[in-house]
Amino acid sequence: MNDECRKRAAGTVLLIMLLLVGCSQSGHDGKVEQVGEDARDVHLAEVHWTYSGEEGPDHWGKLSPDFAPCSEGLEQSPIDLTNATTVDGGAFERRIGETALTIEQRARVMNLVDNGHTIQVTNDVPMALDLDGKHYELVQYHFHAPSEHTINGEFAPLEVHFVHKSAAGELAVIGVLVEEGEHDPIWDPVLAALPTHDGESRHIEDLELDMSELRPLPKRYYRYHGSLTTPPCSEGVEWFVMAEKRQISPEQMATLVPLLDNNNRPVQPLGERELVLVSVE
Ligand SMILES: [Zn+2]
């Protein structure tokens, strides 16, 4: 085990401890069970992977039999969002979960962890996504820099992934590309609490974070069937990427981006899949 792996193992232990604390404090069983785009399972977390070099994206599929979809999958993410079929209406319907905490949709507790691949955030407010008759709940959100999805071949400096999970374990991810522009105060509490090295975690209380502002309802979005963008690259993920970029200030961008260290997987072939651009009015 080299130093980096040792740090990662320590990070995994911290993450598990964090989750246990989160579960006991949040009081809604199973909602904080840490799935997501990154491998949450300890077995998978033991397989070391990176974003460059011999354990980089071109080699993920060979690092473990569990990672085979990374090289053999036909419906992988991210993709370049281009030549989409435009359709009216949409399946998106945001609904807030039914607990007293969600009346104001304000999160008071925030847990952040640098898991060695990204900075991942969880809050105490259940955020739901009802889609095609299925109910998903937000389990975590995290960051990639530069963006993983591109729009007509162009990267944004940052992409946020809001990872939702159904009771059956299906994943739906909302991707938001972020560019430099206006200061967005909604992100300040998150940016003020960022962990700065692998394995570090932070627990924040007494927040006033408006989750509906953080994860807004998109008016136009790309939709396609894809995968996790990190090993094990599992497919069957419903992807929604907002067509409009959000903005944060150059100062906000400079606070976050250097901590992410180019954690974006290259775009994957669309193949036989359909890419649609949905307008909701
Ligand atoms: Zn992601």
Side-chain angles (χ1 to χ4, degrees):
M1 194 183 262
N2 61 29
D3 278 346
E4 199 179 344
C5 274
R6 194 171 293 116
K7 273 193 291 183
R8 198 170 309 286
T12 303
V13 171
L14 270 174
L15 178 63
I16 290 165
M17 289 170 65
L18 183 67
L19 298 179
L20 291 173
V21 170
C23 284
S24 62
Q25 290 188 346
S26 63
H28 42 92
D29 281 347
K31 304 261 170 60
V32 197
E33 63 190 36
Q34 286 354 274
V35 207
E37 273 211 270
D38 295 301
R40 286 293 142 247
D41 176 278
V42 172
H43 163 68
L44 292 174
E46 285 170 355
V47 179
H48 194 254
W49 57 269
T50 60
Y51 281 100
S52 62
E54 292 183 358
E55 294 175 331
D58 290 346
H59 307 283
W60 287 351
K62 291 176 284 187
L63 298 176
S64 161
D66 295 324
F67 295 178
C70 300
S71 54
E72 294 169 11
L74 298 175
E75 298 195 338
Q76 291 287 293
S77 295
I79 59 169
D80 180 34
L81 303 165
T82 192
N83 296 324
T85 306
T86 303
V87 298
D88 288 331
F92 244 123
E93 178 194 341
R94 185 180 54 179
R95 203 179 67 195
I96 305 303
E98 296 170 0
T99 80
L101 267 180
T102 62
I103 291 171
E104 295 181 16
Q105 303 172 32
R106 283 181 191 278
R108 305 208 182 277
V109 176
M110 178 166 64
N111 289 303
L112 304 95
V113 62
D114 182 335
N115 64 16
H117 302 300
T118 186
I119 294 171
Q120 180 174 300
V121 191
T122 53
N123 288 108
D124 57 334
V125 177
M127 294 286 288
L129 175 66
D130 287 301
L131 179 70
D132 301 342
K134 277 182 199 159
H135 182 78
Y136 300 78
E137 295 230 344
L138 179 66
V139 288
Q140 47 102 337
Y141 49 99
H142 62 265
F143 307 93
H144 298 272
S147 65
E148 297 208 296
H149 291 91
T150 52
I151 297 179
N152 297 321
E154 287 193 15
F155 289 90
L158 180 68
E159 182 169 343
V160 190
H161 287 162
F162 294 90
V163 181
H164 302 72
K165 191 188 165 209
S166 74
E170 299 143 306
L171 296 178
V173 184
I174 300 176
V176 181
L177 274 60
V178 185
E179 62 186 2
E180 284 190 0
E182 295 286 311
H183 179 90
D184 185 349
I186 193 65
W187 288 103
D188 284 342
V190 179
L191 299 178
L194 293 173
T196 55
H197 58 264
D198 286 8
E200 185 183 358
S201 61
R202 299 267 175 92
H203 177 76
I204 310 294
E205 297 189 20
D206 300 323
L207 265 184
E208 282 282 336
L209 186 63
D210 187 339
M211 294 296 288
S212 64
E213 288 290 320
L214 195 71
R215 194 207 67 181
L217 186 66
K219 294 287 184 218
R220 286 198 317 136
Y221 58 89
Y222 295 95
R223 180 172 185 181
Y224 75 99
H225 298 293
S227 73
L228 307 183
T229 67
T230 55
C233 309
S234 314
E235 297 186 339
V237 178
E238 294 282 350
W239 273 97
F240 302 87
V241 183
M242 289 174 66
E244 278 87 27
K245 296 184 185 112
R246 284 183 73 154
Q247 293 189 344
I248 59 175
S249 69
E251 292 77 17
Q252 289 179 304
M253 196 71 84
T255 302
L256 178 56
V257 166
L259 302 176
L260 298 169
D261 200 20
N262 294 310
N263 63 343
N264 66 325
R265 185 190 193 192
V267 293
Q268 306 293 307
L270 181 64
E272 302 293 311
R273 289 175 287 179
E274 186 182 24
L275 172 65
V276 296
L277 176 56
V278 184
S279 292
V280 185
E281 290 307 335

